[in-house]
Amino acid sequence: MEILEVPPSNKQIDVHVGDLDLEIAAEATSFPYKIINIVVLAKLKFKNPEYKIDFEKLMGNIEAKRLNRFPCVLFKIDNISIILFKNGKAIITGLKKHEQVDIIAGKMEKHLRNNGKLKFSSVSTEIQNLVIMSRLGKLINLELACLTLTNCLYEPEQFPAAIVKPPLGGTFLIFSNSKIIGLGMRSMDMVRKSLKYLIGEIFNNDLFINLDFTDDEDVFDDEFIF
């Protein structure tokens, strides 16, 4: 497990993939995070680069529905949503494990070839967005965080979280009940480095409220956004 020394603190801040325990020790320095959504861009490669998918014909072959505001269709594979555009690009969303990417892409390719009767030579995939959740187990002073952290915005009248953009990449939502949501990252390496940096900054600047921690009210539910 990779350990990062966070100067000038004498603490070693560690982050790792894992379940979020209900109880986290007040002096803990090892913080789990879980993936709550992976957004993938898939591309169908046609022999003719100018080829456009005929949605009416496609919808006659597979179960799909048109979306009102965009020139695309939506269908699902194993409860994973896939938005397909006429140029062959597709957005896959709802994945929660890296190993699902190739599995769902393969099933999508087979479904569109065999059932959708589309003719294309190959499918490529690229992760566009990793969304993760972590928690520190201590109440966070968001007003102080906004004054202390770089690139931090907190407007409680608009949204109940501080929005932080660390220099190592990604955007993080920090809730006062210690939950942290990270998004806008494209690799697990970026997730680990940015989350470690952010947690290190929170500890180094002691951005905590010295009250007994309770998490009775779940300020953030991952279904709220996803």
Side-chain angles (χ1 to χ4, degrees):
M1 184 178 295
E2 183 182 1
I3 301 294
L4 175 67
E5 190 72 30
V6 184
S9 172
N10 58 3
K11 293 179 180 293
Q12 286 183 314
I13 300 299
D14 158 60
V15 298
H16 56 88
V17 176
D19 293 329
L20 304 185
D21 298 328
L22 293 178
E23 297 293 335
I24 298 179
E27 297 302 321
T29 57
S30 181
F31 301 96
Y33 63 88
K34 68 176 182 179
I35 299 172
I36 58 178
N37 192 20
I38 301 176
V39 180
V40 176
L41 173 64
K43 297 179 182 179
L44 310 182
K45 185 176 181 180
F46 300 104
K47 290 183 178 180
N48 178 7
E50 303 300 322
Y51 178 79
K52 301 297 181 184
I53 298 173
D54 184 337
F55 284 157
E56 296 301 325
K57 184 177 180 180
L58 179 67
M59 292 173 65
N61 296 326
I62 66 171
E63 184 177 348
K65 64 179 181 180
R66 297 289 293 268
L67 298 183
N68 293 333
R69 297 186 178 183
F70 303 98
C72 58
V73 294
L74 169 68
F75 62 96
K76 291 192 175 185
I77 295 178
D78 295 346
N79 291 322
I80 299 298
S81 297
I82 301 174
I83 301 172
L84 179 65
F85 295 85
K86 288 189 175 183
N87 61 2
K89 292 183 178 181
I91 301 296
I92 304 173
T93 182
L95 303 172
K96 296 191 175 183
K97 295 181 179 180
H98 262 88
E99 52 266 31
Q100 288 181 295
V101 174
D102 290 339
I103 294 174
I104 294 299
K107 289 185 176 182
M108 179 191 72
E109 178 179 2
K110 184 177 180 180
H111 184 53
L112 292 177
R113 285 186 192 278
N114 299 342
N115 301 325
K117 309 302 180 183
L118 289 181
K119 295 181 179 180
F120 50 92
S121 57
S122 63
V123 176
S124 62
T125 59
E126 179 182 358
I127 293 177
Q128 296 292 298
N129 186 16
L130 287 164
V131 184
I132 61 99
M133 176 190 291
S134 184
R135 60 194 300 271
L136 305 185
K138 300 178 71 175
L139 296 175
I140 301 175
N141 187 329
L142 297 184
E143 288 81 5
L144 184 58
C146 188
L147 295 173
T148 305
L149 300 177
T150 303
N151 295 326
C152 181
L153 175 66
Y154 180 49
E155 296 181 350
E157 299 84 2
Q158 303 294 326
F159 191 66
I163 303 172
V164 185
K165 293 187 176 182
L168 298 179
T171 299
F172 290 84
L173 311 179
I174 305 176
F175 293 84
S176 61
N177 70 347
S178 91
K179 286 188 177 180
I180 297 176
I181 308 299
L183 59 156
M185 294 164 284
R186 296 193 178 191
S187 70
M188 294 305 296
D189 184 59
M190 182 181 290
V191 168
R192 287 189 292 268
K193 289 180 178 179
S194 289
L195 183 58
K196 284 180 182 179
Y197 176 88
L198 178 61
I199 293 177
E201 288 292 289
I202 292 172
F203 271 87
N204 286 344
N205 291 287
D206 193 19
L207 303 179
F208 299 108
I209 300 174
N210 295 321
L211 296 173
D212 292 336
F213 176 78
T214 58
D215 196 17
D216 296 333
E217 181 180 358
D218 192 354
V219 176
F220 183 88
D221 180 352
D222 41 310
E223 294 183 358
F224 175 73
I225 293 180
F226 309 104

